[in-house]
Amino acid sequence: MGSEDRYHKTFTVSWEQIQRDCKALAWRLLDRKWERIIGIARGGLIPAAIMARELDVKLVDTVCISSYTMKRQGELQIIKNIDTSSKGEGWLIVDDLVDTGKTAKVVREMFPEARFATVYAKPEGKPYVDTYVTEVSQDTWILFPWDAEAQYSDPISMRKD
């Protein structure tokens, strides 16, 4: 199924909204002191930074996995892993979104004892994460502020579509 068939709605997230949602996620994770936060690059980098601040975690690392080219999800490629023998006890894995769960499944296998938190979750991916803030439908494309820019838009009365 192509991206044109897969996504029927768009959910636009502003910088303010992602910060509010990350803070809401942090509130759900105050049950322990986290040793390390692992942000899944690239989408999880900004949420991981916000979470590190809110949870007072000084050690932040990344796992880099490539799966998307624009709206197409393809083959997973592990670009950067963490050189450790740890299974992730006391670690918090953070990503912006769990979609199909393919990336989450790979990261879960790397660090089976870590807690996995995402800001947004879709039904297919929910079983792979422990905590999330907002569920969106599977056919929704989430447009994050780091993937968008403000630009001029004609008034509705002037549009021909």
Side-chain angles (χ1 to χ4, degrees):
M1 177 171 10
S3 63
E4 60 282 348
D5 300 325
R6 187 169 173 199
Y7 301 109
H8 301 283
K9 297 176 251 183
T10 300
F11 176 53
T12 302
V13 178
S14 68
W15 287 108
E16 292 81 11
Q17 185 68 45
I18 194 74
Q19 186 165 16
R20 276 192 303 271
D21 289 344
C22 286
K23 283 185 174 196
L25 186 59
W27 274 105
R28 296 177 186 194
L29 296 162
L30 284 172
D31 59 324
R32 66 169 301 155
K33 179 74 177 152
W34 300 100
E35 293 173 24
R36 175 186 294 215
I37 288 180
I38 307 297
I40 300 177
R42 293 179 314 205
L45 294 178
I46 291 168
I50 295 168
M51 300 292 292
R53 178 189 185 275
E54 296 302 326
L55 297 171
D56 193 31
V57 177
K58 304 293 188 224
L59 181 55
V60 180
D61 207 340
T62 61
V63 170
C64 302
I65 298 178
S66 176
S67 65
Y68 279 95
T69 304
M70 297 306 291
K71 291 185 178 180
R72 285 197 164 74
Q73 192 172 28
E75 190 76 22
L76 291 177
Q77 282 186 290
I78 299 171
I79 300 167
K80 178 192 173 284
N81 199 344
I82 297 170
D83 188 22
T84 181
S85 60
S86 175
K87 294 185 186 296
E89 174 63 32
W91 294 7
L92 177 62
I93 299 167
V94 177
D95 206 353
D96 57 351
L97 161 73
V98 61
D99 190 332
T100 62
K102 289 178 186 175
T103 300
K105 184 174 187 254
V106 168
V107 176
R108 273 247 186 250
E109 289 168 359
M110 291 176 183
F111 310 111
E113 294 175 14
R115 191 124 151 234
F116 203 126
T118 61
V119 186
Y120 305 102
K122 294 185 180 182
E124 284 180 35
K126 275 186 0 181
Y128 297 97
V129 297
D130 301 303
T131 308
Y132 62 91
V133 174
T134 302
E135 182 175 350
V136 296
S137 64
Q138 200 68 42
D139 66 343
T140 298
W141 178 257
I142 300 177
L143 184 59
F144 289 99
W146 48 86
D147 290 329
E149 61 182 24
Q151 63 183 14
Y152 176 78
S153 175
D154 286 328
I156 294 170
S157 64
M158 305 289 274
R159 294 183 189 164
K160 294 180 175 46
D161 52 5

